Each structure stands twice: as structure tokens, then as C-alpha cells.
Amino acid sequence: NAGVTQTPKFQVLKTGQSMTLQCAQDMNHEYMSWYRQDPGMGLRLIHYSVGAGITDQGEVPNGYNVSRSTTEDFPLRLLSAAPSQTSVYFCASSYPASGRSGELFFGEGSRLTVL
Amino acid sequence: QKEVEQDPGPLSVPEGAIVSLNCTYSNSAFQYFMWYRQYSRKGPELLMYTYSSGNKEDGRFTAQVDKSSKYISLFIRDSQPSDSATYLCAMNEIQGAQKLVFGQGTRLTINP
């Protein structure tokens, strides 16, 4: 009963370093997305994917890259980390849009600190 | 100004009280409205889902949507300490979970 699995749970980076946050889901969901959660700002959409090979930008995409080579995996890459990217990152997945409720299934989050 | 505004609280009430949580929004194209509950250091989970205006009840929880006022509410009756969490409203123009827009979240504490 894994659902959405995110790794790592915690990470500390230095400014300028790069890293990848991993996300995997075992529910055969077509839709996957990445959000960041900051105090007073709520959840903001970074990137999303409606299926393998298809990605698009959300509200706050700058400084992040994504790819979707399989249905199960949706990694988020930080190209050159900045202190402004200190946040809690959530991966979430869902059924396709048609005929389904707005239920996103979230991972437990990855807490990133950039020094 | 954000598309969805939610009072971040924190809100603290005694056990058994009726709790009212609210969101306002500016995008008149929003048709689908959700409430998510997030426990500390966990991911959010869907609590309530409604379409267009009206009320929806599920146990002690009632979701209310007033599209004319661009205002949604979540009421919790007979609140319990286990209801202590952050509650986030979310909205969408289309059916489904694609590109959900979230409010800031309200941190709620129910005191025994």
C-alpha cells in the first residue's frame, strides 16, 4: 500500500548545488505534479504531467526541471539551488481529469534547506 | 493578490465547538471546490469535494459554496482533538485534479 513515495525526506544543500527529488507512484495514475509549500503561501504548483513524455509548467517553474519517462516516476530537478528554494516539496498524483473528482494523492513531502 | 485567499489562523477552539473555515476567490471560472486536511509533517488528504453552489454534508463536516459571492466554507460540528490539522481549500475550473489552486491553509487546534 505504498501510494506516492518521495525521497529524500530531508536534504540540506549549499547555494549553487544541484539535486533531484524523486517521486514514484504505484497507482497507475496518469497525472502527476509537484507543489511547494511555504508559510503564508500555501501550495503552489511547480510542474505537472498528464502522461509519460508530457510535462508542462505550473505557477512557479523557474529553477526547476522535470521529465516523465515512465507512468510511475516524476523526478524534480533543482538546477542550481538558491536559498529561495528552501521549502517543503510535495509530489501528488491523480486519475485523469474526465469523470473523476479533484482528489490528489500526496506523498509525505521532502524538506529542503538551501544554505 | 492571490486567486484564492484563506485566513491562515491559527485558530484554537475548545472540544465540541462548531468550527467555520472560509476561503474567498477571484476567478469566476472556478466550478469545482475541495477541502484538504493536512496533519503535521504529512501530505494533504482530500476531505470534501463539491461542484458549483450548494451544500454537501459528510458526517460532522459540511462544505458550502456560494458562487455569487465567490466564497466557500467548511463547517466542523462537535469538533474533536483529532480534527487538529491544517485545512486547505482548493479549486479548479475543470473537473479533476489538474492544476488545482490552493489557499494558504488554516491551522486549527481543538483543545480537550
Side-chain angles (χ1 to χ4, degrees):
Chain A
N1 189 6
V4 178
T5 303
Q6 290 183 235
T7 56
K9 286 186 168 37
F10 301 93
Q11 184 71 48
V12 178
L13 287 178
K14 294 180 180 177
T15 297
Q17 288 184 318
S18 62
M19 76 157 300
T20 299
L21 300 177
Q22 302 290 345
C23 176
Q25 53 92 9
D26 61 359
M27 297 173 282
N28 202 31
H29 286 169
E30 290 188 7
Y31 179 75
M32 296 187 74
S33 57
W34 278 100
Y35 283 86
R36 60 177 290 174
Q37 187 172 36
D38 303 289
M41 300 297 291
L43 286 161
R44 292 181 292 169
L45 182 63
I46 304 171
H47 285 286
Y48 66 97
S49 169
V50 297
I54 306 170
T55 64
D56 206 345
Q57 297 180 351
E59 181 186 354
V60 288
N62 292 341
Y64 307 95
N65 267 358
V66 292
S67 60
R68 185 94 179 272
S69 56
T70 67
T71 300
E72 295 78 19
D73 301 300
F74 191 44
L76 178 72
R77 296 182 187 83
L78 280 71
L79 308 173
S80 177
S84 62
Q85 293 179 304
T86 293
S87 187
V88 181
Y89 292 85
F90 286 99
C91 179
S93 69
S94 177
Y95 295 109
S98 61
R100 295 289 186 175
S101 71
E103 182 165 15
L104 275 174
F105 294 82
F106 284 86
E108 295 207 334
S110 296
R111 296 176 178 272
L112 176 67
T113 300
V114 182
L115 302 176
Chain B
Q1 185 184 3
K2 286 177 67 69
E3 274 189 296
V4 180
E5 295 283 352
Q6 184 177 4
D7 185 341
L11 182 61
S12 181
V13 302
E15 182 176 355
I18 296 174
V19 176
S20 172
L21 304 169
N22 311 295
C23 288
T24 59
Y25 62 94
S26 57
N27 184 353
S28 58
F30 285 144
Q31 298 187 76
Y32 300 87
F33 304 91
M34 289 134 271
W35 286 94
Y36 280 77
R37 180 174 60 194
Q38 183 179 22
Y39 290 114
S40 181
R41 297 189 174 267
K42 297 290 186 182
E45 295 176 311
L46 182 66
L47 185 62
M48 297 284 283
Y49 171 82
T50 55
Y51 168 67
S52 195
S53 287
N55 292 357
K56 183 175 182 178
E57 189 173 317
D58 184 1
R60 297 184 294 108
F61 298 88
T62 300
Q64 198 171 76
V65 175
D66 182 351
K67 289 188 69 180
S68 63
S69 302
K70 297 190 180 69
Y71 189 87
I72 71 170
S73 300
L74 177 71
F75 298 96
I76 307 174
R77 293 184 300 279
D78 188 25
S79 56
Q80 304 294 311
S82 58
D83 296 327
S84 298
T86 296
Y87 290 80
L88 302 112
C89 62
M91 308 179 187
N92 211 348
E93 296 181 23
I94 60 172
Q95 189 176 15
Q98 293 188 31
K99 300 179 72 174
L100 283 185
V101 180
F102 284 85
Q104 293 93 321
T106 299
R107 181 178 293 181
L108 173 66
T109 301
I110 309 297
N111 301 302

